[in-house]
Amino acid sequence: MRIATFNVNGVNGRLERLLDWLADTKPDVACLQELKSDSFPARALEQAGYGAVWHGQKSWNGVAILARGAAPIETRRGLPGEGSGAQARYIEAAVKGVLVGCLYAPNGNPVGSARYAAKLAWYDRFAAHAEALLATGQPVALAGDYNIMPTDLDVYAPERWRGDALFQPELKARYAALRDAGWVDGIRDVFGEGERVYTFWKYWRNAFQRDAGLRIDHVLLSPVLAARLESAGVDSHHRAKAGASDHAPAWVELEG
DNA sequence: ATGGCAGCTTCGAGCTGA
C-alpha cells in the first residue's frame, strides 16, 4: 500500500500534471496540499479512478485526500481548537484500514511576525491532535507539507536558511518531539541519517537543476504502521517536467 | 543582502509562497 503526499500548488491549474502523476505511480492514497481554490476537480479524479474528500478555500491553502478505487470516509476537517473561519489546512479520513491526516502547515515567514506566531500556534494544535491519535493505538499516517526542514541534512545550504521560519530551532524541536513521541518519519527512516533527499526546489535560479532543495514534505507513521514500512521515495522525475509544481510527490510503501 | 519564479485574483498589479 502506497501513501503519497503532493503539494500541487494549484489543483485546477495543475490538473494535467496531477493526473499524469497518478497514472504513472498509482498511489493507493494521495494527500494533496495547496489546492488554492474553492472548486475541486472531483469528476476528473473520479474518472481517473480516485475517490476524494477535500477541504478547500478561495485562493490559498486547501487540502484533499484521494483513494484509488475507494471513497475516503472523512473523519474530520480542521484541527481541534480552530475557529470556523480557520484556513483550510487539515483534513482526515479513514482509507483502506488506515486513518490518514493530510496537513498543510503555515509558512510563517518572516520570523517574529504575526504569521510566525500563527505557525507556532498551529503546531501546538497539531501536536495535541497527533498525541490524541497516537494514544488510540490505531494505524495512522500524517502526511503533508510540514513547512519544516527537520535537520541540516534536509537543506542544501543550511547556513543560508538559519533565519527562515521553516528552519527555526523551536520548530525543529516540535518536529523532533513528534518523533520522540513515537511517530516515525517514513522517508528519513528508509533513506537513513546520511543520505540527502529533497521534496521541494524553488522555481528560481535553476534550483532543481542544481539540486538546491529542501525536505519539507513528510509522512509520519504511527508505530503499528511503521512496522509495515517497506520503502519510500520522492518522485523527482515529476518535478523535472514542464509546468511542474515546485514540490515533488513523496511516498511510503507499506506491507499489505 | 537582494532578487529570482509561479499561481492566485472582481483582468492585472499585488499578495503569497518557501
Side-chain angles (χ1 to χ4, degrees), chain A residues 35-39 55-63 85-89:
Chain A
L35 305 180
K36 288 188 165 183
S37 176
D38 51 9
S39 74
H55 181 22
Q57 69 176 85
K58 190 177 179 181
S59 303
W60 315 115
N61 312 312
V63 285
Q87 296 176 329
R89 295 185 178 276

Side-chain angles (χ1 to χ4, degrees), chain A residues 36-87:
Chain A
K36 288 188 165 183
S37 176
D38 51 9
S39 74
F40 185 80
R43 186 179 184 84
L45 290 164
E46 182 71 40
Q47 287 171 346
Y50 282 85
V53 293
W54 63 93
H55 181 22
Q57 69 176 85
K58 190 177 179 181
S59 303
W60 315 115
N61 312 312
V63 285
I65 299 173
L66 312 184
R68 187 156 66 96
I73 308 300
E74 183 175 318
T75 54
R76 103 172 346 269
R77 53 177 53 212
L79 290 166
E82 286 182 346
S84 57
Q87 296 176 329

Side-chain angles (χ1 to χ4, degrees), chain A residues 3 90 92 97-101 129-130 132-143 183-184 219-226 254:
Chain A
I3 300 176
Y90 188 82
E92 192 178 282
V98 176
L99 189 64
V100 177
H129 185 53
L133 291 174
L134 204 61
T136 68
Q138 296 297 306
V140 185
L142 294 174
W183 295 97
V184 171
V219 183
L220 295 188
L221 303 172
S222 71
V224 287
L225 259 192
L254 305 171

Side-chain angles (χ1 to χ4, degrees), chain A residues 16-35:
Chain A
E16 292 308 312
R17 295 262 48 84
L18 172 60
L19 293 172
D20 177 54
W21 169 69
L22 290 171
D24 179 34
T25 69
K26 300 178 175 57
D28 296 284
V29 179
C31 294
L32 308 181
Q33 302 86 34
E34 281 209 84
L35 305 180

Side-chain angles (χ1 to χ4, degrees), chain A residues 90-199:
Chain A
Y90 188 82
I91 191 167
E92 192 178 282
V95 190
K96 306 185 182 198
V98 176
L99 189 64
V100 177
C102 172
L103 61 127
Y104 175 50
N107 175 303
N109 272 306
V111 173
S113 67
R115 286 181 191 178
Y116 185 71
K119 183 177 191 176
L120 294 176
W122 187 90
Y123 260 103
D124 287 342
R125 291 192 296 273
F126 176 69
H129 185 53
E131 183 178 2
L133 291 174
L134 204 61
T136 68
Q138 296 297 306
V140 185
L142 294 174
D145 180 351
Y146 282 71
N147 268 322
I148 293 175
M149 294 86 85
T151 72
D152 281 8
L153 189 62
D154 303 305
V155 189
Y156 68 99
E159 296 313 318
R160 295 189 193 179
W161 289 83
R162 296 287 177 216
D164 195 275
L166 281 66
F167 205 40
Q168 291 308 295
E170 60 188 335
L171 281 163
K172 290 186 279 191
R174 279 167 162 80
Y175 191 85
L178 290 168
R179 294 181 72 176
D180 289 344
W183 295 97
V184 171
D185 179 333
I187 292 163
R188 180 52 71 207
D189 195 70
V190 166
F191 279 77
E193 297 298 331
E195 187 173 355
R196 293 187 173 275
V197 54
Y198 304 132
T199 66

